[in-house]
């Protein structure tokens, strides 16, 4: 729960409006419910002042739609005024489950389509909003963030384009490389993580988990996720380890160099519970091979904590790996589209981020420090203490 008392003396930047793009309708609805609850319960001496009209509403969702022509071209249309509003646009560029017609053929929206619709919405605002904030949990083209030859820098170009269109802030989660913000060094860019929500989901559903150096270790599946693992292990007070991906750089398959082997660097894991933390599950080959090797090294249980469960190649490999005891649970957030079938799997746990996201929006609207909503070490320590004492979390 955010420290909402910090908002009782803060003034909003402008009336709040939330746009949940079609790709993020479900998440946007839950975020809106929390915003309504926050503002109904908050005590603010000026809440009923005429100057604060719109501070407390039954809904903050804005009525806008993106229409398509038969050729696949589109446009954004607002059905209400957004003049002077503090606008928050929530978009999930990874939602592939939205179809549209192109010359009579059924097509599914790609990240490029979602990004183009986002720009259409921004263009339809036409400079009327007081401030435009884009909430893009999975940062568009975030895996194409650096140049290693004659290739494009898609993520940097997208950020420059958004700010050129009038966007004030981009809010994202667990960016593949947060240093991409250097492409727009004078613009607002906030990158959040889901460590607290991972622990909350894990501790609520695994009652016999022991979090200490004797029983638990946090593992990074590759060198790119080391900083996440080190932070998480430090907060939990446990050891950490990592796998090094040895790749064949003479070959490119599916746009990347194939992995030849995973080499483990770390302490003895015999009989310990393993928490693997990463930002993305795409095909799952890498993280499942890591989990398999850990079980061969006599790990007790393996828990996979991943911010974005994309599952680009389906769930068959995960079903097979679970049946063969390569891992025990997968915890992913609801920040991106999840295959409907995954929620019925015995190994799946969801870390709900809607409440956290609502608090980010609320504090941002009041121009209050995000230090009041980001996950501090003390907050994770508190939930661990309650768990160890078997109190209700």
């Amino acid at each position: 729960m955010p420290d909402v008392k910090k908002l009782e003396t803060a003034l909003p930047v402008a009336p709040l409006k939330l746009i949940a793009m079609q790709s993020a309708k479900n998440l946007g609805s839950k975020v809106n419910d929390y915003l309504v609850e926050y503002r109904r319960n908050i005590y603010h001496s000026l809440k009923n002042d005429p100057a604060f009209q719109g501070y407390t509403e039954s809904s903050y969702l804005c009525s806008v739609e993106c229409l398509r022509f038969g050729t696949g071209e589109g446009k954004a249309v607002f059905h209400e005024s957004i003049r002077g509003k503090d606008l928050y646009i929530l978009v999930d560029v990874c939602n592939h489950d939205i179809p549209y017609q192109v010359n009579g053929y059924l097509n599914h929206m790609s990240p490029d389509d979602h990004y183009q619709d986002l720009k259409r919405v921004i263009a339809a605002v036409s400079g009327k909003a007081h401030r435009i904030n884009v909430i893009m949990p999975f940062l568009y083209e975030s895996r194409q963030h650096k140049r290693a030859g004659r290739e494009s820098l898609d993520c940097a170009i997208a950020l420059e384009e958004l700010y050129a269109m009038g966007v004030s802030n981009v809010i994202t989660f667990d960016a593949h490389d947060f240093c991409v913000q250097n492409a727009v060094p004078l613009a607002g860019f906030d990158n959040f993580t889901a460590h607290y929500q991972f622990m909350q989901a894990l501790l609520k559903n695994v009652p016999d988990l022991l979090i200490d150096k004797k029983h638990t270790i946090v593992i990074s599946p590759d060198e790119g996720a080391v900083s996440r693992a080190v932070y998480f292990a430090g907060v939990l007070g446990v050891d950490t380890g990592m796998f090094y991906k040895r790749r064949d750089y003479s070959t490119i398959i599916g746009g990347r160099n194939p992995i030849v082997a995973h080499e483990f660097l770390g302490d003895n894991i015999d009989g310990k519970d393993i928490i693997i933390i990463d930002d993305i599950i795409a095909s799952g080959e890498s993280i499942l091979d890591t989990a398999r090797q850990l079980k061969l090294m006599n790990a007790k249980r393996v828990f996979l904590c991943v911010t974005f469960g994309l599952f680009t190649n389906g769930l068959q490999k995960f079903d097979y790996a679970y049946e063969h005891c390569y891992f025990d649970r997968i915890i992913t957030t609801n920040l991106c589209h999840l295959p409907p079938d995954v929620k019925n799997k015995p190994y799946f746990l969801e870390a709900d981020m809607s409440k956290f996201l609502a608090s980010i929006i609320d504090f941002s609207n009041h121009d209050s420090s995000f230090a009041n909503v980001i996950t501090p070490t003390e907050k994770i320590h508190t939930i661990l203490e309650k768990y160890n004492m078997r109190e209700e979390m």
Side-chain angles (χ1 to χ4, degrees):
M1 180 71 180
D3 188 2
V4 293
K5 289 190 175 295
K6 298 285 185 180
L7 302 182
E8 292 180 355
T9 56
L11 300 179
V13 172
L16 172 64
K17 275 295 181 180
L18 173 64
I19 294 176
M21 302 289 286
Q22 188 179 4
S23 58
K25 285 292 185 185
N26 293 336
L27 179 60
S29 178
K30 296 179 72 173
V31 169
N32 176 66
D33 291 342
Y34 278 117
L35 286 170
V36 171
E37 179 186 346
Y38 287 164
R39 298 207 168 182
R40 279 179 178 169
N41 296 332
I42 192 174
Y43 172 77
H44 203 301
S45 58
L46 299 175
K47 191 163 66 171
N48 297 318
D49 192 299
F52 283 77
Q53 183 178 4
Y55 186 83
T56 304
E57 296 281 359
S58 59
S59 175
Y60 296 96
L61 288 170
C62 186
S63 179
V64 61
E65 61 179 328
C66 291
L67 305 173
R68 293 271 175 180
F69 299 102
T71 58
E73 299 167 286
K75 65 176 181 179
V77 180
F78 277 85
H79 299 295
E80 62 179 274
S81 173
I82 41 79
R83 184 179 293 276
K85 301 295 193 294
D86 190 20
L87 202 60
Y88 291 81
I89 308 174
L90 177 61
V91 58
D92 174 13
V93 298
C94 292
N95 191 340
H96 61 274
D97 203 27
I98 302 176
Y100 65 94
Q101 294 285 333
V102 180
N103 293 320
Y105 294 95
L106 189 67
N107 194 20
H108 283 258
M109 291 188 70
S110 69
D112 291 342
D113 290 320
H114 290 299
Y115 178 63
Q116 194 65 31
D117 274 354
L118 169 65
K119 291 196 295 181
R120 290 184 176 111
V121 169
I122 296 171
V125 171
S126 300
K128 302 301 188 296
H130 179 82
R131 187 173 66 172
I132 302 173
N133 308 271
V134 171
I135 305 173
M136 191 183 292
F138 185 94
L139 189 61
Y140 174 70
E141 291 289 356
S142 57
R143 287 187 284 181
Q144 189 55 29
H145 60 98
K146 62 183 179 181
R147 177 171 286 156
R150 294 186 181 91
E151 57 185 23
S152 56
L153 277 171
D154 296 36
C155 188
I157 291 172
L159 288 175
E160 288 186 338
E161 192 171 25
L162 289 176
Y163 290 118
M165 294 183 72
V167 172
S168 299
N169 302 293
V170 168
I171 297 171
T172 191
F173 285 80
D174 212 350
H176 197 64
D177 182 358
F178 64 88
C179 290
V180 74
Q181 67 183 297
N182 293 336
V184 282
L186 300 180
F189 184 95
D190 292 290
N191 180 45
F192 295 93
T193 60
H195 294 102
Y196 174 73
Q197 286 77 13
F198 285 150
M199 284 311 303
Q200 192 175 44
L202 195 57
L203 297 180
K204 280 185 176 181
N205 292 277
V206 186
D208 59 340
L209 194 62
L210 296 174
I211 306 294
D212 57 41
K213 285 190 175 183
K214 291 183 179 179
H215 300 91
T216 309
I217 185 169
V218 176
I219 297 293
S220 168
D222 56 47
E223 57 274 23
V226 169
S227 59
R228 298 182 187 89
V230 169
Y231 169 77
F232 205 30
V235 172
L236 300 181
V238 301
D239 291 328
T240 187
M242 68 164 284
F243 276 84
Y244 169 70
K245 290 180 180 178
R246 190 150 51 86
R247 295 181 179 271
D248 178 6
Y249 288 99
S250 65
T251 308
I252 296 178
I253 299 176
R256 61 180 183 174
N257 304 109
I259 298 168
V260 177
H262 290 91
E263 309 289 348
F264 179 67
L265 303 173
D267 202 358
N268 180 28
I269 63 168
D270 186 18
K272 293 184 178 181
D273 285 325
I274 308 297
I275 300 175
I276 302 177
I277 187 164
D278 206 356
D279 59 338
I280 300 169
I281 285 182
S283 66
E285 293 179 4
S286 177
I287 200 167
L288 291 178
D289 186 56
T290 299
R292 180 185 63 83
Q293 291 195 49
L294 289 168
K295 281 297 183 79
L296 291 175
M297 296 164 65
N298 203 32
K300 182 182 177 182
R301 289 175 296 188
V302 176
F303 304 102
L304 313 180
C305 294
V306 183
T307 307
F308 303 106
L310 306 180
F311 303 105
T312 55
N313 288 359
L315 300 172
Q316 293 80 6
K317 291 180 180 178
F318 294 90
D319 294 340
Y320 177 86
Y322 180 71
E323 291 169 2
H324 288 76
C325 301
Y326 294 168
F327 72 94
D328 294 84
R329 292 293 182 97
I330 294 178
I331 303 97
T332 70
T333 72
N334 59 340
L335 290 171
C336 71
H337 172 74
L338 292 167
D341 293 344
V342 75
K343 297 184 178 182
N344 299 320
K345 299 296 182 181
Y347 51 77
F348 177 77
L349 296 175
E350 183 179 88
D352 186 6
M353 301 296 291
S354 54
K355 190 173 185 178
F356 184 37
L357 193 50
S359 65
I360 290 171
I361 294 173
D362 208 16
F363 274 85
S364 175
N365 178 243
H366 287 82
D367 249 358
S368 294
S369 172
F370 280 152
N372 299 306
V373 294
I374 61 176
T375 304
T377 300
E378 292 77 13
K379 194 172 182 182
I380 297 179
H381 285 169
T382 298
I383 195 175
L384 281 174
E385 289 173 6
K386 289 182 178 181
Y387 174 81
N388 291 334
M389 298 176 66
R390 297 305 187 265
E391 296 179 7
E392 182 180 355
M393 291 179 286

